[in-house]
Amino acid sequence: LRTLRCDLSSDRARAAAEAAAARGVKSVARLQLLWQEAGGGAAGTQLLAGHLGLGEHDAREVGLGLARRAAEEAKQAAEEAEQAAEEAKLQAMADFLRTLRCDLSSDRARAAAEAAAARGVKSVARLQLLWQEAGGGAAGTQLLAGHLGLGEHDAREVGLGLARRAAEEAKQAAEEAEQAAEEAKLQAMADFLR
């Protein structure tokens, strides 16, 4: 409480903590939760004044401190979530590279994923797009070697893996288009019969 309201004396802060504990509020997290549930503002101030036995001015200052604390926690949580998402992307890229080049060690795959991310290539789809735009083949291999920090042989194998993946995706898209065409024909026949 004294970090939130610096000119609160030790004795008054202690008395406020005891008043809160007497009302079953024995932690900062619980106090913050109650204040948030009250919606902050005037209602939050009133709740704090009641629970801590403080005057309105002191209670308002404590509320502002809780608001700052909540904002800092939300910011930290957002940063951690962003970091976790980046980590998941890196790991997905590393795992994918190992599916294309099975004898690539975890460490080398991870290093390649980090090298790609440092060049702004943070997803498998983006890597594949760049490789396709380079036209595959030798140019694609060169691009992969540069972006992934791999030797030519490993880069070529990754390129072949991307080619297989692109072919599978094209085949799947063709099958889906054929299925959609069959469905359209059936629907046309049904509509005609009606």
Side-chain angles (χ1 to χ4, degrees), residues 140-181:
T141 297
Q142 202 170 359
L143 177 135
L144 290 173
H147 277 67
L148 300 171
L150 293 175
E152 193 179 343
H153 182 64
D154 286 329
R156 190 182 301 112
E157 288 296 313
V158 169
L160 290 172
L162 286 175
R164 282 193 301 273
R165 186 173 189 261
E168 284 161 13
E169 284 172 356
K171 185 185 170 196
Q172 190 180 343
E175 285 169 358
E176 284 168 5
E178 193 177 343
Q179 202 173 339

Side-chain angles (χ1 to χ4, degrees), residues 29-59:
R30 178 80 181 129
L31 183 70
Q32 191 168 336
L33 181 65
L34 288 172
W35 175 80
Q36 284 172 328
E37 285 175 348
T45 298
Q46 204 170 357
L47 177 135
L48 290 173
H51 276 67
L52 300 171
L54 293 175
E56 191 179 344
H57 183 64
D58 286 329

Side-chain angles (χ1 to χ4, degrees), residues 5-17:
R5 180 76 179 121
C6 55
D7 58 355
L8 207 61
S9 70
S10 300
D11 292 344
R12 286 186 66 210
R14 176 72 188 200

Side-chain angles (χ1 to χ4, degrees), residues 6 44 79 86 104 110 115 153 162 170 174 191:
C6 55
E79 284 169 359
E86 288 298 313
L104 206 61
R110 175 70 187 207
H153 182 64
L162 286 175
D191 293 344

Side-chain angles (χ1 to χ4, degrees), residues 3-193:
T3 63
L4 301 181
R5 180 76 179 121
C6 55
D7 58 355
L8 207 61
S9 70
S10 300
D11 292 344
R12 286 186 66 210
R14 176 72 188 200
E18 286 172 357
R23 287 176 175 81
V25 181
K26 297 183 181 182
S27 71
V28 175
R30 178 80 181 129
L31 183 70
Q32 191 168 336
L33 181 65
L34 288 172
W35 175 80
Q36 284 172 328
E37 285 175 348
T45 298
Q46 204 170 357
L47 177 135
L48 290 173
H51 276 67
L52 300 171
L54 293 175
E56 191 179 344
H57 183 64
D58 286 329
R60 189 183 301 114
E61 288 298 313
V62 169
L64 289 171
L66 287 176
R68 281 193 300 273
R69 186 172 188 263
E72 283 162 13
E73 285 172 356
K75 185 185 171 195
Q76 189 179 342
E79 284 169 359
E80 284 169 4
E82 194 177 342
Q83 203 173 340
E86 288 298 313
E87 174 59 31
K89 278 188 199 170
L90 271 175
Q91 197 53 51
M93 173 76 90
D95 292 344
F96 174 71
L97 291 172
R98 290 191 75 204
T99 64
L100 300 182
R101 181 79 180 114
C102 55
D103 58 354
L104 206 61
S105 71
S106 299
D107 291 344
R108 285 188 67 210
R110 175 70 187 207
E114 285 171 359
R119 288 174 176 80
V121 182
K122 297 183 180 182
S123 71
V124 173
R126 177 82 182 128
L127 185 69
Q128 190 166 338
L129 180 66
L130 287 172
W131 175 80
Q132 285 171 327
E133 284 175 350
T141 297
Q142 202 170 359
L143 177 135
L144 290 173
H147 277 67
L148 300 171
L150 293 175
E152 193 179 343
H153 182 64
D154 286 329
R156 190 182 301 112
E157 288 296 313
V158 169
L160 290 172
L162 286 175
R164 282 193 301 273
R165 186 173 189 261
E168 284 161 13
E169 284 172 356
K171 185 185 170 196
Q172 190 180 343
E175 285 169 358
E176 284 168 5
E178 193 177 343
Q179 202 173 339
E182 288 300 315
E183 176 59 34
K185 278 187 201 169
L186 275 175
Q187 195 56 50
M189 174 71 88
D191 293 344
F192 174 71
L193 292 173

